[in-house]
Amino acid sequence: IHKGYSLVGGAVLNGNPHYFLSRADYLLTFNESLPTLPARKVLFWPSCNFMCTRQSFDKIGGFDSSILIGEDSLFCRKALQYYELWFDSSMRVAHTNRETWEAYWHHHYQFGYGSAQLRKKINLPGSILARHKLLSFLAAPIRVLRLGWRLSQHKKTFLDLILFSPFIGIGLTAWGYGFVKGAWK
């Protein structure tokens, strides 16, 4: 498909950047797929922007329809058994992000809950935090550090991190609450 890779993921653009909440949602959800990131091998990309051959998709087994949140994480994990994943920021798609507080809170809560549930079932980074209930409280602070480090690598995203930090903090709180609930269930 692309430079010898059977699976290629691309950058995600903010489809509605004129809303503060949308910009915070974008940074929380797609910070690993920003258009400013270099082309490279990766372990994951979101399912909203990737391409692969039909043969590769079938070999991986497609998406697990029983998983509502994190199906792209599971797909990428299974894909890594057979292929290397490539990120190309020139391959772009715009994603419309959440614009209301209710949708924003609900999405990040569900994302956190689903992340914990998935990590209890399969071995993904952070699985230890989901499998040991008391450690689940560390998931949100670790995510804050990872997000801060990733966004601080580029001037524009670092400024957005500072500008939208109150909104990002609320989303991270919802995610952390969901992760703890998912780990303890």
mmCIF file of all heavy atoms in Angstrom, residues 108-150:
data_model
loop_
_atom_site.group_PDB
_atom_site.id
_atom_site.type_symbol
_atom_site.label_atom_id
_atom_site.label_comp_id
_atom_site.label_asym_id
_atom_site.label_seq_id
_atom_site.Cartn_x
_atom_site.Cartn_y
_atom_site.Cartn_z
ATOM 1 N N HIS A 108 -15.442 10.721 27.213
ATOM 2 C CA HIS A 108 -14.185 10.435 27.911
ATOM 3 C C HIS A 108 -14.390 9.470 29.077
ATOM 4 O O HIS A 108 -13.511 8.645 29.351
ATOM 5 C CB HIS A 108 -13.481 11.730 28.296
ATOM 6 C CG HIS A 108 -12.957 12.414 27.080
ATOM 7 N ND1 HIS A 108 -11.872 11.944 26.376
ATOM 8 C CD2 HIS A 108 -13.419 13.478 26.384
ATOM 9 C CE1 HIS A 108 -11.672 12.703 25.325
ATOM 10 N NE2 HIS A 108 -12.597 13.637 25.294
ATOM 11 N N TYR A 109 -15.547 9.526 29.732
ATOM 12 C CA TYR A 109 -15.858 8.528 30.754
ATOM 13 C C TYR A 109 -15.917 7.133 30.114
ATOM 14 O O TYR A 109 -15.287 6.190 30.591
ATOM 15 C CB TYR A 109 -17.184 8.845 31.458
ATOM 16 C CG TYR A 109 -17.629 7.725 32.356
ATOM 17 C CD1 TYR A 109 -17.140 7.632 33.651
ATOM 18 C CD2 TYR A 109 -18.508 6.749 31.909
ATOM 19 C CE1 TYR A 109 -17.513 6.580 34.476
ATOM 20 C CE2 TYR A 109 -18.889 5.700 32.721
ATOM 21 C CZ TYR A 109 -18.390 5.614 34.008
ATOM 22 O OH TYR A 109 -18.766 4.567 34.817
ATOM 23 N N GLN A 110 -16.673 7.013 29.038
ATOM 24 C CA GLN A 110 -16.809 5.728 28.345
ATOM 25 C C GLN A 110 -15.456 5.238 27.810
ATOM 26 O O GLN A 110 -15.152 4.049 27.860
ATOM 27 C CB GLN A 110 -17.802 5.841 27.184
ATOM 28 C CG GLN A 110 -19.238 5.985 27.624
ATOM 29 C CD GLN A 110 -19.742 4.741 28.322
ATOM 30 O OE1 GLN A 110 -19.879 4.711 29.540
ATOM 31 N NE2 GLN A 110 -20.004 3.710 27.579
ATOM 32 N N PHE A 111 -14.653 6.152 27.308
ATOM 33 C CA PHE A 111 -13.328 5.815 26.796
ATOM 34 C C PHE A 111 -12.448 5.267 27.922
ATOM 35 O O PHE A 111 -11.745 4.270 27.747
ATOM 36 C CB PHE A 111 -12.717 7.056 26.145
ATOM 37 C CG PHE A 111 -11.407 6.816 25.469
ATOM 38 C CD1 PHE A 111 -11.257 5.844 24.491
ATOM 39 C CD2 PHE A 111 -10.306 7.590 25.791
ATOM 40 C CE1 PHE A 111 -10.037 5.630 23.873
ATOM 41 C CE2 PHE A 111 -9.084 7.389 25.173
ATOM 42 C CZ PHE A 111 -8.946 6.406 24.214
ATOM 43 N N GLY A 112 -12.485 5.893 29.080
ATOM 44 C CA GLY A 112 -11.723 5.405 30.233
ATOM 45 C C GLY A 112 -12.219 4.055 30.710
ATOM 46 O O GLY A 112 -11.437 3.129 30.965
ATOM 47 N N TYR A 113 -13.536 3.926 30.812
ATOM 48 C CA TYR A 113 -14.139 2.664 31.246
ATOM 49 C C TYR A 113 -13.771 1.533 30.281
ATOM 50 O O TYR A 113 -13.319 0.469 30.688
ATOM 51 C CB TYR A 113 -15.658 2.832 31.319
ATOM 52 C CG TYR A 113 -16.373 1.644 31.897
ATOM 53 C CD1 TYR A 113 -16.619 1.571 33.255
ATOM 54 C CD2 TYR A 113 -16.810 0.596 31.089
ATOM 55 C CE1 TYR A 113 -17.283 0.477 33.807
ATOM 56 C CE2 TYR A 113 -17.460 -0.499 31.625
ATOM 57 C CZ TYR A 113 -17.700 -0.546 32.977
ATOM 58 O OH TYR A 113 -18.339 -1.639 33.516
ATOM 59 N N GLY A 114 -13.948 1.801 28.998
ATOM 60 C CA GLY A 114 -13.631 0.798 27.984
ATOM 61 C C GLY A 114 -12.153 0.455 27.950
ATOM 62 O O GLY A 114 -11.774 -0.696 27.733
ATOM 63 N N SER A 115 -11.303 1.455 28.185
ATOM 64 C CA SER A 115 -9.853 1.208 28.213
ATOM 65 C C SER A 115 -9.497 0.236 29.331
ATOM 66 O O SER A 115 -8.683 -0.672 29.137
ATOM 67 C CB SER A 115 -9.094 2.523 28.420
ATOM 68 O OG SER A 115 -9.223 3.353 27.303
ATOM 69 N N ALA A 116 -10.082 0.419 30.497
ATOM 70 C CA ALA A 116 -9.811 -0.487 31.618
ATOM 71 C C ALA A 116 -10.348 -1.884 31.327
ATOM 72 O O ALA A 116 -9.661 -2.891 31.564
ATOM 73 C CB ALA A 116 -10.421 0.063 32.900
ATOM 74 N N GLN A 117 -11.563 -1.967 30.832
ATOM 75 C CA GLN A 117 -12.165 -3.269 30.539
ATOM 76 C C GLN A 117 -11.337 -4.043 29.506
ATOM 77 O O GLN A 117 -11.096 -5.236 29.671
ATOM 78 C CB GLN A 117 -13.604 -3.087 30.034
ATOM 79 C CG GLN A 117 -14.572 -2.635 31.104
ATOM 80 C CD GLN A 117 -14.917 -3.770 32.043
ATOM 81 O OE1 GLN A 117 -15.535 -4.742 31.647
ATOM 82 N NE2 GLN A 117 -14.503 -3.640 33.287
ATOM 83 N N LEU A 118 -10.907 -3.359 28.458
ATOM 84 C CA LEU A 118 -10.100 -3.997 27.416
ATOM 85 C C LEU A 118 -8.758 -4.457 27.978
ATOM 86 O O LEU A 118 -8.298 -5.559 27.683
ATOM 87 C CB LEU A 118 -9.893 -3.029 26.252
ATOM 88 C CG LEU A 118 -9.199 -3.581 25.020
ATOM 89 C CD1 LEU A 118 -9.987 -4.757 24.420
ATOM 90 C CD2 LEU A 118 -9.014 -2.490 23.986
ATOM 91 N N ARG A 119 -8.143 -3.653 28.817
ATOM 92 C CA ARG A 119 -6.843 -3.997 29.397
ATOM 93 C C ARG A 119 -6.936 -5.120 30.418
ATOM 94 O O ARG A 119 -5.945 -5.770 30.707
ATOM 95 C CB ARG A 119 -6.208 -2.742 30.000
ATOM 96 C CG ARG A 119 -5.564 -1.909 28.926
ATOM 97 C CD ARG A 119 -5.326 -0.467 29.316
ATOM 98 N NE ARG A 119 -4.637 0.229 28.240
ATOM 99 C CZ ARG A 119 -5.220 0.639 27.125
ATOM 100 N NH1 ARG A 119 -6.518 0.425 26.922
ATOM 101 N NH2 ARG A 119 -4.520 1.246 26.183
ATOM 102 N N LYS A 120 -8.103 -5.346 30.956
ATOM 103 C CA LYS A 120 -8.288 -6.506 31.840
ATOM 104 C C LYS A 120 -8.352 -7.798 31.025
ATOM 105 O O LYS A 120 -7.961 -8.852 31.501
ATOM 106 C CB LYS A 120 -9.569 -6.331 32.664
ATOM 107 C CG LYS A 120 -9.394 -5.326 33.792
ATOM 108 C CD LYS A 120 -10.685 -4.928 34.460
ATOM 109 C CE LYS A 120 -11.445 -6.046 35.076
ATOM 110 N NZ LYS A 120 -12.638 -5.583 35.822
ATOM 111 N N LYS A 121 -8.825 -7.699 29.789
ATOM 112 C CA LYS A 121 -8.993 -8.882 28.937
ATOM 113 C C LYS A 121 -7.731 -9.248 28.173
ATOM 114 O O LYS A 121 -7.413 -10.419 28.025
ATOM 115 C CB LYS A 121 -10.122 -8.650 27.929
ATOM 116 C CG LYS A 121 -11.491 -8.567 28.536
ATOM 117 C CD LYS A 121 -12.522 -8.315 27.464
ATOM 118 C CE LYS A 121 -13.887 -8.096 28.076
ATOM 119 N NZ LYS A 121 -14.884 -7.777 27.068
ATOM 120 N N ILE A 122 -7.056 -8.244 27.620
ATOM 121 C CA ILE A 122 -5.883 -8.521 26.790
ATOM 122 C C ILE A 122 -4.699 -7.689 27.277
ATOM 123 O O ILE A 122 -4.878 -6.650 27.912
ATOM 124 C CB ILE A 122 -6.149 -8.255 25.290
ATOM 125 C CG1 ILE A 122 -6.451 -6.776 25.031
ATOM 126 C CG2 ILE A 122 -7.252 -9.129 24.764
ATOM 127 C CD1 ILE A 122 -6.471 -6.420 23.574
ATOM 128 N N ASN A 123 -3.527 -8.131 26.950
ATOM 129 C CA ASN A 123 -2.321 -7.457 27.393
ATOM 130 C C ASN A 123 -2.012 -6.265 26.494
ATOM 131 O O ASN A 123 -1.562 -6.425 25.374
ATOM 132 C CB ASN A 123 -1.153 -8.440 27.420
ATOM 133 C CG ASN A 123 0.039 -7.877 28.139
ATOM 134 O OD1 ASN A 123 -0.103 -7.028 29.009
ATOM 135 N ND2 ASN A 123 1.220 -8.339 27.776
ATOM 136 N N LEU A 124 -2.291 -5.078 27.009
ATOM 137 C CA LEU A 124 -1.996 -3.810 26.342
ATOM 138 C C LEU A 124 -1.201 -2.944 27.312
ATOM 139 O O LEU A 124 -1.228 -3.196 28.518
ATOM 140 C CB LEU A 124 -3.294 -3.078 25.981
ATOM 141 C CG LEU A 124 -4.136 -3.637 24.849
ATOM 142 C CD1 LEU A 124 -5.483 -2.922 24.792
ATOM 143 C CD2 LEU A 124 -3.411 -3.490 23.522
ATOM 144 N N PRO A 125 -0.515 -1.932 26.810
ATOM 145 C CA PRO A 125 0.143 -1.019 27.749
ATOM 146 C C PRO A 125 -0.863 -0.496 28.773
ATOM 147 O O PRO A 125 -1.970 -0.092 28.418
ATOM 148 C CB PRO A 125 0.654 0.110 26.842
ATOM 149 C CG PRO A 125 0.840 -0.552 25.510
ATOM 150 C CD PRO A 125 -0.262 -1.569 25.417
ATOM 151 N N GLY A 126 -0.502 -0.547 30.026
ATOM 152 C CA GLY A 126 -1.391 -0.110 31.101
ATOM 153 C C GLY A 126 -2.245 -1.216 31.682
ATOM 154 O O GLY A 126 -3.044 -0.961 32.583
ATOM 155 N N SER A 127 -2.093 -2.439 31.188
ATOM 156 C CA SER A 127 -2.921 -3.538 31.694
ATOM 157 C C SER A 127 -2.756 -3.734 33.193
ATOM 158 O O SER A 127 -3.714 -4.055 33.899
ATOM 159 C CB SER A 127 -2.602 -4.836 30.959
ATOM 160 O OG SER A 127 -3.134 -4.802 29.658
ATOM 161 N N ILE A 128 -1.548 -3.550 33.696
ATOM 162 C CA ILE A 128 -1.309 -3.733 35.131
ATOM 163 C C ILE A 128 -2.168 -2.774 35.961
ATOM 164 O O ILE A 128 -2.624 -3.115 37.050
ATOM 165 C CB ILE A 128 0.187 -3.592 35.486
ATOM 166 C CG1 ILE A 128 0.443 -4.086 36.898
ATOM 167 C CG2 ILE A 128 0.672 -2.169 35.278
ATOM 168 C CD1 ILE A 128 1.910 -4.238 37.235
ATOM 169 N N LEU A 129 -2.428 -1.588 35.421
ATOM 170 C CA LEU A 129 -3.240 -0.603 36.132
ATOM 171 C C LEU A 129 -4.706 -1.022 36.196
ATOM 172 O O LEU A 129 -5.416 -0.690 37.146
ATOM 173 C CB LEU A 129 -3.124 0.772 35.464
ATOM 174 C CG LEU A 129 -1.717 1.351 35.361
ATOM 175 C CD1 LEU A 129 -1.737 2.654 34.572
ATOM 176 C CD2 LEU A 129 -1.098 1.553 36.728
ATOM 177 N N ALA A 130 -5.171 -1.718 35.188
ATOM 178 C CA ALA A 130 -6.565 -2.158 35.159
ATOM 179 C C ALA A 130 -6.761 -3.460 35.930
ATOM 180 O O ALA A 130 -7.828 -3.701 36.490
ATOM 181 C CB ALA A 130 -7.030 -2.341 33.720
ATOM 182 N N ARG A 131 -5.739 -4.285 35.977
ATOM 183 C CA ARG A 131 -5.858 -5.594 36.621
ATOM 184 C C ARG A 131 -5.644 -5.549 38.131
ATOM 185 O O ARG A 131 -6.033 -6.470 38.835
ATOM 186 C CB ARG A 131 -4.875 -6.569 35.977
ATOM 187 C CG ARG A 131 -5.258 -6.871 34.543
ATOM 188 C CD ARG A 131 -4.288 -7.791 33.877
ATOM 189 N NE ARG A 131 -4.677 -8.013 32.496
ATOM 190 C CZ ARG A 131 -3.841 -8.341 31.532
ATOM 191 N NH1 ARG A 131 -2.559 -8.509 31.806
ATOM 192 N NH2 ARG A 131 -4.274 -8.512 30.311
ATOM 193 N N HIS A 132 -4.999 -4.518 38.609
ATOM 194 C CA HIS A 132 -4.775 -4.340 40.045
ATOM 195 C C HIS A 132 -5.524 -3.085 40.475
ATOM 196 O O HIS A 132 -5.086 -1.962 40.225
ATOM 197 C CB HIS A 132 -3.276 -4.237 40.347
ATOM 198 C CG HIS A 132 -2.526 -5.458 39.938
ATOM 199 N ND1 HIS A 132 -2.479 -6.596 40.707
ATOM 200 C CD2 HIS A 132 -1.825 -5.733 38.818
ATOM 201 C CE1 HIS A 132 -1.770 -7.517 40.086
ATOM 202 N NE2 HIS A 132 -1.361 -7.016 38.926
ATOM 203 N N LYS A 133 -6.655 -3.301 41.107
ATOM 204 C CA LYS A 133 -7.618 -2.231 41.359
ATOM 205 C C LYS A 133 -7.008 -0.981 41.991
ATOM 206 O O LYS A 133 -7.306 0.135 41.579
ATOM 207 C CB LYS A 133 -8.761 -2.758 42.223
ATOM 208 C CG LYS A 133 -9.616 -3.779 41.513
ATOM 209 C CD LYS A 133 -10.692 -4.321 42.421
ATOM 210 C CE LYS A 133 -11.497 -5.374 41.684
ATOM 211 N NZ LYS A 133 -12.540 -5.945 42.520
ATOM 212 N N LEU A 134 -6.169 -1.142 42.986
ATOM 213 C CA LEU A 134 -5.601 0.040 43.637
ATOM 214 C C LEU A 134 -4.690 0.833 42.701
ATOM 215 O O LEU A 134 -4.591 2.052 42.808
ATOM 216 C CB LEU A 134 -4.854 -0.347 44.909
ATOM 217 C CG LEU A 134 -5.742 -0.836 46.057
ATOM 218 C CD1 LEU A 134 -4.896 -1.262 47.247
ATOM 219 C CD2 LEU A 134 -6.734 0.250 46.467
ATOM 220 N N LEU A 135 -4.062 0.150 41.768
ATOM 221 C CA LEU A 135 -3.202 0.843 40.799
ATOM 222 C C LEU A 135 -4.009 1.632 39.776
ATOM 223 O O LEU A 135 -3.474 2.517 39.109
ATOM 224 C CB LEU A 135 -2.289 -0.151 40.078
ATOM 225 C CG LEU A 135 -1.220 -0.835 40.932
ATOM 226 C CD1 LEU A 135 -0.415 -1.810 40.083
ATOM 227 C CD2 LEU A 135 -0.324 0.187 41.606
ATOM 228 N N SER A 136 -5.298 1.316 39.655
ATOM 229 C CA SER A 136 -6.133 2.013 38.666
ATOM 230 C C SER A 136 -6.188 3.512 38.922
ATOM 231 O O SER A 136 -6.383 4.290 37.997
ATOM 232 C CB SER A 136 -7.546 1.424 38.633
ATOM 233 O OG SER A 136 -8.230 1.674 39.853
ATOM 234 N N PHE A 137 -5.974 3.925 40.166
ATOM 235 C CA PHE A 137 -5.989 5.349 40.488
ATOM 236 C C PHE A 137 -4.783 6.091 39.898
ATOM 237 O O PHE A 137 -4.783 7.313 39.834
ATOM 238 C CB PHE A 137 -6.042 5.552 42.006
ATOM 239 C CG PHE A 137 -7.332 5.093 42.617
ATOM 240 C CD1 PHE A 137 -7.436 3.857 43.226
ATOM 241 C CD2 PHE A 137 -8.468 5.902 42.551
ATOM 242 C CE1 PHE A 137 -8.632 3.430 43.777
ATOM 243 C CE2 PHE A 137 -9.674 5.484 43.099
ATOM 244 C CZ PHE A 137 -9.755 4.236 43.717
ATOM 245 N N LEU A 138 -3.775 5.357 39.471
ATOM 246 C CA LEU A 138 -2.598 5.969 38.866
ATOM 247 C C LEU A 138 -2.759 6.197 37.361
ATOM 248 O O LEU A 138 -1.945 6.890 36.750
ATOM 249 C CB LEU A 138 -1.365 5.085 39.099
ATOM 250 C CG LEU A 138 -0.944 4.893 40.551
ATOM 251 C CD1 LEU A 138 0.198 3.891 40.632
ATOM 252 C CD2 LEU A 138 -0.558 6.226 41.165
ATOM 253 N N ALA A 139 -3.789 5.618 36.771
ATOM 254 C CA ALA A 139 -3.953 5.691 35.314
ATOM 255 C C ALA A 139 -4.091 7.135 34.828
ATOM 256 O O ALA A 139 -3.428 7.535 33.863
ATOM 257 C CB ALA A 139 -5.148 4.854 34.865
ATOM 258 N N ALA A 140 -4.940 7.924 35.460
ATOM 259 C CA ALA A 140 -5.140 9.308 35.013
ATOM 260 C C ALA A 140 -3.880 10.156 35.188
ATOM 261 O O ALA A 140 -3.499 10.867 34.249
ATOM 262 C CB ALA A 140 -6.342 9.938 35.711
ATOM 263 N N PRO A 141 -3.193 10.102 36.344
ATOM 264 C CA PRO A 141 -1.948 10.885 36.443
ATOM 265 C C PRO A 141 -0.895 10.467 35.405
ATOM 266 O O PRO A 141 -0.196 11.327 34.849
ATOM 267 C CB PRO A 141 -1.456 10.610 37.863
ATOM 268 C CG PRO A 141 -2.673 10.228 38.622
ATOM 269 C CD PRO A 141 -3.567 9.534 37.632
ATOM 270 N N ILE A 142 -0.807 9.189 35.116
ATOM 271 C CA ILE A 142 0.143 8.731 34.090
ATOM 272 C C ILE A 142 -0.268 9.269 32.727
ATOM 273 O O ILE A 142 0.566 9.722 31.944
ATOM 274 C CB ILE A 142 0.256 7.193 34.096
ATOM 275 C CG1 ILE A 142 0.971 6.734 35.367
ATOM 276 C CG2 ILE A 142 0.966 6.681 32.841
ATOM 277 C CD1 ILE A 142 0.926 5.240 35.607
ATOM 278 N N ARG A 143 -1.555 9.258 32.456
ATOM 279 C CA ARG A 143 -2.033 9.786 31.176
ATOM 280 C C ARG A 143 -1.756 11.287 31.069
ATOM 281 O O ARG A 143 -1.413 11.785 29.994
ATOM 282 C CB ARG A 143 -3.524 9.492 31.000
ATOM 283 C CG ARG A 143 -4.016 9.817 29.613
ATOM 284 C CD ARG A 143 -5.285 9.089 29.269
ATOM 285 N NE ARG A 143 -5.600 9.338 27.873
ATOM 286 C CZ ARG A 143 -6.735 9.896 27.461
ATOM 287 N NH1 ARG A 143 -7.668 10.210 28.334
ATOM 288 N NH2 ARG A 143 -6.939 10.107 26.189
ATOM 289 N N VAL A 144 -1.882 12.011 32.169
ATOM 290 C CA VAL A 144 -1.569 13.442 32.169
ATOM 291 C C VAL A 144 -0.111 13.655 31.778
ATOM 292 O O VAL A 144 0.203 14.508 30.938
ATOM 293 C CB VAL A 144 -1.850 14.071 33.560
ATOM 294 C CG1 VAL A 144 -1.231 15.456 33.673
ATOM 295 C CG2 VAL A 144 -3.341 14.126 33.837
ATOM 296 N N LEU A 145 0.782 12.870 32.365
ATOM 297 C CA LEU A 145 2.209 13.006 32.062
ATOM 298 C C LEU A 145 2.511 12.674 30.601
ATOM 299 O O LEU A 145 3.264 13.388 29.937
ATOM 300 C CB LEU A 145 3.035 12.115 32.988
ATOM 301 C CG LEU A 145 3.023 12.510 34.465
ATOM 302 C CD1 LEU A 145 3.741 11.451 35.305
ATOM 303 C CD2 LEU A 145 3.644 13.875 34.667
ATOM 304 N N ARG A 146 1.936 11.593 30.108
ATOM 305 C CA ARG A 146 2.161 11.205 28.712
ATOM 306 C C ARG A 146 1.619 12.256 27.748
ATOM 307 O O ARG A 146 2.263 12.609 26.763
ATOM 308 C CB ARG A 146 1.514 9.850 28.425
ATOM 309 C CG ARG A 146 2.219 8.693 29.129
ATOM 310 C CD ARG A 146 1.643 7.351 28.778
ATOM 311 N NE ARG A 146 1.896 7.068 27.374
ATOM 312 C CZ ARG A 146 1.015 6.505 26.563
ATOM 313 N NH1 ARG A 146 -0.160 6.132 27.015
ATOM 314 N NH2 ARG A 146 1.306 6.268 25.300
ATOM 315 N N LEU A 147 0.420 12.755 28.044
ATOM 316 C CA LEU A 147 -0.193 13.778 27.197
ATOM 317 C C LEU A 147 0.644 15.054 27.220
ATOM 318 O O LEU A 147 0.916 15.645 26.171
ATOM 319 C CB LEU A 147 -1.616 14.062 27.670
ATOM 320 C CG LEU A 147 -2.391 15.131 26.905
ATOM 321 C CD1 LEU A 147 -2.717 14.643 25.506
ATOM 322 C CD2 LEU A 147 -3.655 15.495 27.649
ATOM 323 N N GLY A 148 1.049 15.481 28.407
ATOM 324 C CA GLY A 148 1.868 16.684 28.526
ATOM 325 C C GLY A 148 3.170 16.553 27.769
ATOM 326 O O GLY A 148 3.575 17.481 27.053
ATOM 327 N N TRP A 149 3.826 15.409 27.903
ATOM 328 C CA TRP A 149 5.083 15.201 27.194
ATOM 329 C C TRP A 149 4.864 15.229 25.689
ATOM 330 O O TRP A 149 5.585 15.898 24.954
ATOM 331 C CB TRP A 149 5.721 13.874 27.607
ATOM 332 C CG TRP A 149 7.010 13.645 26.883
ATOM 333 C CD1 TRP A 149 8.245 14.124 27.220
ATOM 334 C CD2 TRP A 149 7.188 12.905 25.678
ATOM 335 N NE1 TRP A 149 9.172 13.730 26.297
ATOM 336 C CE2 TRP A 149 8.558 12.978 25.328
ATOM 337 C CE3 TRP A 149 6.328 12.190 24.846
ATOM 338 C CZ2 TRP A 149 9.079 12.364 24.204
ATOM 339 C CZ3 TRP A 149 6.849 11.585 23.722
ATOM 340 C CH2 TRP A 149 8.204 11.672 23.408
ATOM 341 N N ARG A 150 3.849 14.503 25.206
ATOM 342 C CA ARG A 150 3.597 14.421 23.763
ATOM 343 C C ARG A 150 3.261 15.790 23.184
ATOM 344 O O ARG A 150 3.775 16.172 22.143
ATOM 345 C CB ARG A 150 2.464 13.426 23.505
ATOM 346 C CG ARG A 150 2.313 13.046 22.053
ATOM 347 C CD ARG A 150 1.284 11.952 21.847
ATOM 348 N NE ARG A 150 1.687 10.714 22.484
ATOM 349 C CZ ARG A 150 0.973 10.076 23.405
ATOM 350 N NH1 ARG A 150 -0.193 10.535 23.785
ATOM 351 N NH2 ARG A 150 1.403 8.963 23.933
#
